[in-house]
Amino acid sequence: MPSFTGRDIVSIRDLPRPDIDHILDTADVMEPLAKAGSEMLHGKIMATLFFEPSTRTRLSFESAMTRLGGTALGFAETKGTSVEKGENLADTVRVVENYADLLVVRHPLEGAARMAAEFSKMPVINAGSGAEEHPTQALLDLYTIRKELGAIDGLNIGLIGDLRFGRTVHSLAYALSQYKVKLFLISPEILKMRKEVFEEVSKHVTAKETASFHEHIRELDVVYMTRVQKERFADLAEYEKVKGSYRLTAEELTKAKKNAIVMHPLPRVDEVAADVDTTAHAKYFQQVQYGVVLRMALLALVLGAV
Ligand code: NCD
């Protein structure tokens, strides 16, 4: 059984498949506790250091911690903190680790979570590092697939939209490459999957790069839609060219497999039409619920409670 106590969760690449499967199995154990509550993490404190906007990730970590009897503190923006006075990340981490047993960090810079982990004596969980990675989202995405479709092996999985700047699809592609899946990487040319991710992933699984969603929707078991990451474009004229590239509608979904699921890390802009919400394919709000359970598992594992 892999040990997680005190471990940093910075990159999904640090987690071999048995570790991932163990986290997903632990999430199954947590599921009833999400309703019933638990005192498993009583006395433990989680600090959330969010240097970038977030709704789901921060609130679901806080909810997960609270449901396990622990407490949460932190900041959701740098306004009002000493970061405004010029305090650097290393110092912020060295200070906040005195207030908590675990740090959850989101930062606009790639490598920031890794750096925080190096400076911190407490375990650090990466809640999004620039356009690079978002490992806990990938874990909850895998959990959603397993819960909704029974298994991950054997599936055709489409990642659609912004594969260049979208950190969730980077972590998810790395994770999925440890399973027996076929990946369809569907994006406009300028938003193609980051080269280093594509090269690594294609060593292990078949990964087809294409711009045509229409052509492949019939083949997919998982339709994973993403938002074009406007805030990460250096040139907004480039964004204008690709915004709205893909728009999934209920009408388009009539071509999909009967059991195909539609996922999205959220927030959505216009890539998933509202009429998809009432179809049986839509799982993105369910995904939010699985996110709490998965983060309960992670917190319990890293803090040594299970
Ligand atoms: C994502 C993120 O922050 O990378 N959101 C999330 O955590 N669920 C996706 C996005 O912002 O598009």
Side-chain angles (χ1 to χ4, degrees):
M1 194 86 74
S3 171
F4 282 89
T5 310
R7 252 168 92 171
D8 300 311
I9 309 290
V10 170
S11 167
I12 198 79
R13 300 168 79 195
D14 301 336
L15 300 175
R17 177 166 172 172
D19 287 14
I20 293 179
D21 288 336
H22 183 59
I23 296 170
L24 305 187
D25 293 344
T26 308
D28 280 334
V29 177
M30 291 294 153
E31 202 163 7
L33 302 183
K35 281 212 178 68
S38 161
E39 286 300 309
M40 200 182 280
L41 293 181
H42 178 78
K44 297 287 185 189
I45 303 173
M46 171 186 78
T48 52
L49 282 59
F50 276 57
F51 296 81
E52 253 195 356
S54 169
T55 302
R56 275 150 293 272
T57 305
R58 190 174 56 83
L59 292 181
S60 71
F61 265 111
E62 288 185 8
S63 173
M65 192 65 184
T66 310
R67 284 167 201 263
L68 290 177
T71 48
L73 50 82
F75 54 82
E77 52 172 354
T78 54
K79 201 167 178 310
T81 73
S82 287
V83 175
E84 288 209 311
K85 302 180 191 165
E87 183 162 68
N88 63 35
L89 178 62
D91 283 359
T92 303
V93 164
R94 283 188 287 231
V95 168
V96 176
E97 67 179 3
N98 295 285
Y99 308 144
D101 302 290
L102 165 127
L103 312 185
V104 179
V105 180
R106 169 172 286 195
H107 200 282
L109 290 181
E110 297 189 6
R114 179 75 67 198
M115 187 180 128
E118 276 163 19
F119 282 104
S120 173
K121 293 193 235 16
M122 298 300 167
V124 168
I125 298 183
N126 179 6
S129 47
E132 179 188 35
E133 275 222 47
H134 194 344
T136 68
Q137 178 72 42
L139 290 166
L140 80 86
D141 293 339
L142 296 178
Y143 190 59
T144 303
I145 297 171
R146 202 173 88 162
K147 289 292 284 186
E148 295 297 328
L149 296 172
I152 299 166
D153 288 319
L155 299 179
N156 285 348
I157 299 181
L159 307 181
I160 299 114
D162 188 347
L163 309 186
R164 180 177 172 201
F165 297 119
R167 54 192 172 198
T168 73
V169 281
H170 300 154
S171 293
L172 184 56
Y174 282 132
L176 286 170
S177 72
Q178 302 200 56
Y179 293 80
K180 294 182 186 64
V181 297
K182 183 169 178 195
L183 294 181
F184 293 76
L185 306 175
I186 304 171
S187 72
E189 183 64 26
I190 65 164
L191 298 181
K192 268 169 79 171
M193 180 57 88
R194 262 164 94 128
K195 195 157 170 277
E196 78 259 26
V197 182
F198 181 74
E199 282 176 0
E200 175 60 28
V201 162
S202 11
K203 282 185 204 153
H204 309 286
V205 295
T206 306
K208 183 185 168 63
E209 289 191 296
T210 172
S212 174
F213 185 20
H214 203 65
E215 207 178 293
H216 293 288
I217 189 163
R218 284 184 178 79
E219 294 167 76
L220 303 177
D221 300 294
V222 176
V223 179
Y224 189 99
M225 302 297 295
T226 62
R227 171 180 74 87
V228 179
Q229 309 278 299
K230 183 178 183 185
E231 69 276 25
R232 310 225 188 267
F233 281 74
D235 178 0
L236 274 184
E238 290 275 287
Y239 168 75
E240 293 296 327
K241 280 187 215 153
V242 287
K243 73 168 190 200
S245 292
Y246 302 106
R247 184 173 157 79
L248 183 63
T249 59
E251 160 75 24
E252 181 72 7
L253 268 173
T254 58
K255 298 197 204 84
K257 288 187 183 179
K258 191 170 158 285
N259 294 327
I261 59 169
V262 177
M263 295 172 62
H264 193 306
L266 301 178
R268 69 172 146 181
V269 183
D270 56 3
E271 56 282 347
V272 178
D275 65 4
V276 174
D277 298 1
T278 49
T279 69
H281 301 288
K283 297 296 173 199
Y284 27 91
F285 293 115
Q286 194 72 39
Q287 219 176 325
V288 174
Q289 194 185 328
Y290 292 137
V292 177
V293 173
L294 191 283
R295 289 181 171 116
M296 287 169 69
L298 261 187
L299 294 170
L301 283 165
V302 171
L303 292 171
V306 285

